Amino acid sequence: MKNMTLKKLAALALSAVFALSAMTACSGSSSSASPAQDDLKEVTVGLIQLMEHPSLDEIRTAIEARLEEKAAENGLSIHINYQNGQGDASTINTICQQFVGDGVDAIVAIATPAAQGAATAAAGTDIPIIFSAVTDPVAAGLVENLDAPEGNITGTSDAIPVDKIFALAEELTPDVKSFGLLYNPGEDNSVSVIADVKAYLDGKGISYTEGSVSGTGDVQIAAQSLLSQCDAIFSPIDNTVASAMGVLADEAIKAKKPVYVAADSMVHDGGLATVGVNYTNLGTQTADMLLKVLTGTPVSEVPVEVLRDNAVMVNAETAEAIGVDVSKYAE
Ligand code: TRP
């Protein structure tokens, strides 16, 4: 009872605060720090997302929310032209050429293949490109120097802490002696992580088998094949596998084997565990970099931001289904 009353009081107090701030917001608009609506500079941003899967959607939502929150105080009225690349290189190229033809003020590209398409389409123009969640911008051929991007391209990176993920795997499932590596070799973001993974496993004397997919429709058969040969699966930060994560998780649970992944969304969708970054933070940072560029900072002075706020994530349901103890990490 006492708790209830306290809660109610807190709710009342909160609504009073909201009412007050709403009032000040209305009456105080003339003294606000943001320029009046008419003084805002109108800009158009072409926003391309490789495909729709939960992590990329989370990033886009965070970018849009941040731009909406911060545009006016940066003197901008931002029109976002959002297009989905459907995971298809020629669709991506068409969209990016359209952005260039329309003379957008900047392009934001979510995920590596989208950023590569944007870079190709905007080459030779002065349209800045801000990429988002590109795992290895150097290997993807987007920039050479992360600290001082030389072209008109910068952005955020979700570099993958391979050693931390495999240390977690060793801790949770010490009996695993072989990994199946499931990925799309057409994604440079995956290829770069897989190279690190192979070096890591070679160093530890752990064996591995590669299983490649070229589209989401290949994931089930490739997963079954790897599960029949290996003790566990690792999938890097692969957009193709992420789009079919439910299928991979079901197969692994049937085989009672762990799947280690490289993104929180893939744990949410049934993978056993990962160590990874927060994609809402990554989207927010991408938007802040775009705002800098749109307000006149040269891209060369906006270094690539590599996120390193890594956290362990486990799926307690998957763990229970395959008999792995994750109690140390489950909330
Ligand atoms: N980092 C990926 C890339 O470079 C994009 C990505 C972000 C992603 N979050 C993900 C891929 C989650 C798979 C799962 O393209």
Side-chain angles (χ1 to χ4, degrees):
M1 269 315 270
K2 203 175 166 205
N3 259 338
M4 283 282 285
T5 330
L6 270 182
K7 256 195 191 158
K8 261 196 187 155
L9 265 179
L12 271 177
L14 255 184
S15 53
V17 170
F18 278 133
L20 253 183
S21 56
M23 275 167 61
T24 29
C26 291
S27 63
S29 60
S30 56
S31 63
S32 139
S34 306
Q37 196 68 32
D38 300 346
D39 300 338
L40 298 179
K41 183 179 161 203
E42 305 251 348
V43 292
T44 300
V45 171
L47 173 58
I48 178 152
Q49 179 175 319
L50 169 66
M51 54 167 69
E52 293 192 345
H53 67 65
S55 188
L56 302 189
D57 294 344
E58 175 182 345
I59 296 166
R60 188 183 77 245
T61 303
I63 292 175
E64 289 173 342
R66 185 65 161 189
L67 292 180
E68 183 161 343
E69 181 194 345
K70 293 281 177 188
E73 69 187 64
N74 281 281
L76 298 170
S77 167
I78 303 177
H79 170 71
I80 299 173
N81 179 359
Y82 164 59
Q83 300 291 331
N84 173 355
Q86 319 285 354
D88 177 64
S90 73
T91 307
I92 292 168
N93 286 340
T94 308
I95 292 168
C96 293
Q97 279 160 10
Q98 186 84 46
F99 287 162
V100 171
D102 291 349
V104 296
D105 296 284
I107 298 175
V108 173
I110 305 176
T112 300
Q116 291 170 321
T120 306
T125 75
D126 58 2
I127 300 175
I129 297 172
I130 315 295
F131 57 75
S132 192
V134 168
T135 297
D136 190 339
V138 176
L142 294 170
V143 296
E144 276 169 32
N145 181 349
L146 298 179
D147 295 325
E150 51 294 312
N152 224 353
I153 307 181
T154 189
T156 52
S157 166
D158 53 351
I160 303 304
V162 165
D163 45 350
K164 290 187 189 161
I165 295 173
F166 281 88
L168 178 66
E170 199 175 339
E171 184 191 334
L172 294 179
T173 49
D175 294 337
V176 168
K177 300 279 177 275
S178 58
F179 277 95
L181 308 178
L182 182 64
Y183 67 105
N184 179 351
E187 292 191 29
D188 286 336
N189 38 297
S190 299
V191 172
S192 141
V193 175
I194 290 293
D196 290 350
V197 166
K198 288 196 221 165
Y200 180 94
L201 294 176
D202 285 339
K204 294 261 173 190
I206 300 174
S207 69
Y208 50 81
T209 307
E210 290 179 63
S212 70
V213 296
S214 58
T216 49
D218 303 339
V219 169
Q220 185 166 25
I221 288 183
Q224 285 169 344
S225 159
L226 288 177
L227 287 162
S228 71
Q229 303 169 64
C230 308
D231 299 334
I233 285 187
F234 170 74
S235 182
I237 189 91
D238 190 284
N239 294 286
T240 311
V241 176
S243 304
M245 190 58 212
V247 173
L248 168 58
D250 286 350
E251 292 299 329
I253 287 171
K254 263 194 258 161
K256 289 211 180 297
K257 291 182 177 174
V259 180
Y260 291 96
V261 289
D264 53 358
S265 65
M266 295 167 88
V267 173
H268 186 261
D269 289 344
L272 178 65
T274 192
V275 184
V277 302
N278 177 312
Y279 284 95
T280 292
N281 291 347
L282 182 142
T284 304
Q285 281 207 26
T286 308
D288 286 346
M289 294 167 81
L290 171 68
L291 288 167
K292 270 194 197 161
V293 170
L294 289 174
T295 51
T297 310
V299 169
S300 59
E301 288 170 26
V302 183
V304 173
E305 303 254 4
V306 181
L307 272 82
R308 304 211 185 267
D309 58 337
N310 293 311
V312 172
M313 269 148 299
V314 295
N315 186 318
E317 256 175 62
T318 299
E320 198 186 323
I322 65 172
V324 173
D325 179 9
V326 295
S327 52
K328 183 173 161 197
Y329 295 108
E331 288 116 75

